[in-house]
């Protein structure tokens, strides 16, 4: 698939992929590929219900999505972004913690504290099982909070993720909400934790070489953006 130049993107040497930051409305064919890949991945792991395909398919809940395209322009992974939120109740994390009142209360308080400064939420991350350098694609996805906050003009990024990807998130500057007990979501096989990124402190929170790479890629993404992308003005951190 030929991606127009005006779509923000950068080349990732580790995964040998081009990383594209697109919107469902402006890139419907790419969005369909993203959904197909996500559905296959979630079905393979037996958690397709967590994807909530009927809710996300029309793209209205997705402000932006990142897609990793290999040398043949096949999509081998991606993640989507919701927000910036105008209301705490828009966060999907509250839905995930619905059966855990204490944790939900903490999540709500953290959102309430941050929402005025801009909060985006990362959802539906996936990596194709046959992806070349699959771990590198996972690392790329873990960097997306830095890029999404810059592109969307938000200070904070939020994600809920199983503990097995914790190290990848931490490398990119994530802070674990340690006061919130991990929960069995989507099912008992997983221990899902709450992670936050603060764009103002990423230089201190992220691993140094990762921070330098994210900063360089952020500048590239912002330089490629055109008015047609319809994203708010933002300044690279």
């Amino acid at each position: 698939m030929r991606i127009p130049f005006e779509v923000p993107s950068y080349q990732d040497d580790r995964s040998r992929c081009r990383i594209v930051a697109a919107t469902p409305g402006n890139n419907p064919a790419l969005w369909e590929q993203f959904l197909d890949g996500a559905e296959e991945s979630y079905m393979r792991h037996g958690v397709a219900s967590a994807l909530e395909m009927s809710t996300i398919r029309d793209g209205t809940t997705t402000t932006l999505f990142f897609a990793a395209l290999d040398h043949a322009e096949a999509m081998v992974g991606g993640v989507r972004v919701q927000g910036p939120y105008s209301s705490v109740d828009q966060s999907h994390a509250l839905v995930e913690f619905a059966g855990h009142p204490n944790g939900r209360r903490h999540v709500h308080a953290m959102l309430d504290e941050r929402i005025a400064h801009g909060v985006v939420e990362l959802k539906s991350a996936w990596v194709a099982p046959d992806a070349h350098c699959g771990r590198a694609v996972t690392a790329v996805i873990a960097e997306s909070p830095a890029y999404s906050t810059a592109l969307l003009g938000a200070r904070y990024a939020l994600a809920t993720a199983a503990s097995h990807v914790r190290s990848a998130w931490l490398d990119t500057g994530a802070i674990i909400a340690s006061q919130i007990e991990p929960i069995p979501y989507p099912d008992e096989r997983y221990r899902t934790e709450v992670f936050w990124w603060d764009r103002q402190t990423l230089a201190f929170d992220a691993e140094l070489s990762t921070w330098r790479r994210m900063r360089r890629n952020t500048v590239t993404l912002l330089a490629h953006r055109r008015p047609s992308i319809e994203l708010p003005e933002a300044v690279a951190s």
Side-chain angles (χ1 to χ4, degrees):
M1 171 177 290
R2 191 66 57 188
I3 305 300
F5 172 79
E6 66 267 14
V7 176
S9 67
Y10 68 90
Q11 185 66 34
D12 181 72
D13 294 334
R14 298 160 302 165
S15 61
R16 303 177 192 174
C17 288
R18 182 183 178 195
I19 312 304
V20 175
T23 62
N26 286 348
N27 309 93
L30 198 65
W31 175 239
E32 285 299 321
Q33 286 192 33
F34 175 91
L35 293 175
D36 289 345
E39 186 170 42
E40 192 281 330
S41 176
Y42 279 56
M43 289 180 65
R44 187 173 72 254
H45 290 95
V47 290
S49 60
L51 191 59
E52 299 181 358
M53 183 63 74
S54 62
T55 300
I56 70 172
R57 179 171 290 282
D58 66 5
T60 57
T61 62
T62 300
T63 309
L64 178 71
F65 68 98
F66 293 90
L69 307 177
D70 67 13
H71 68 282
E73 297 194 333
M75 195 179 301
V76 294
V79 63
R80 67 184 187 88
V81 185
Q82 300 186 168
Y85 292 141
S86 58
S87 166
V88 167
D89 294 330
Q90 291 174 301
S91 173
H92 193 273
L94 294 176
V95 176
E96 297 168 28
F97 276 82
H100 306 271
N102 189 53
R104 191 181 191 279
R105 185 165 55 251
H106 280 298
V107 174
H108 192 284
M110 297 176 101
L111 283 161
D112 191 54
E113 179 183 357
R114 293 164 173 78
I115 198 164
H117 303 284
V119 173
V120 297
E121 187 169 3
L122 285 296
K123 299 299 301 173
S124 312
W126 62 276
V127 177
D130 56 349
H132 181 70
C133 300
R135 288 187 179 179
V137 177
T138 298
V140 166
I141 291 172
E143 294 174 2
S144 59
Y147 309 139
S148 58
T149 51
L151 284 168
L152 296 172
R155 176 174 172 178
Y156 296 102
L158 162 67
T160 56
S163 54
H164 69 270
V165 297
R166 176 192 289 181
S167 61
W169 292 134
L170 293 179
D171 282 350
T172 66
I175 303 297
I176 300 173
S178 57
Q179 66 270 51
I180 302 175
E181 287 290 326
I183 61 172
Y185 181 87
D187 60 37
E188 294 292 338
R189 294 173 296 166
Y190 300 91
R191 305 301 293 169
T192 291
E193 300 175 293
V194 176
F195 298 83
W196 285 98
W197 291 257
D198 182 343
R199 188 156 65 102
Q200 291 189 4
T201 63
L202 283 181
F204 306 99
D205 298 332
E207 191 272 329
L208 182 58
S209 62
T210 301
W211 157 246
R212 288 172 173 165
R213 180 173 57 252
M214 293 191 303
R215 179 177 175 84
R216 183 173 61 250
N217 292 337
T218 296
V219 171
T220 300
L221 287 167
L222 291 173
H224 275 244
R225 195 182 58 190
R226 295 292 183 271
S228 61
I229 302 302
E230 298 179 357
L231 297 180
E233 282 301 317
V235 178
S237 32

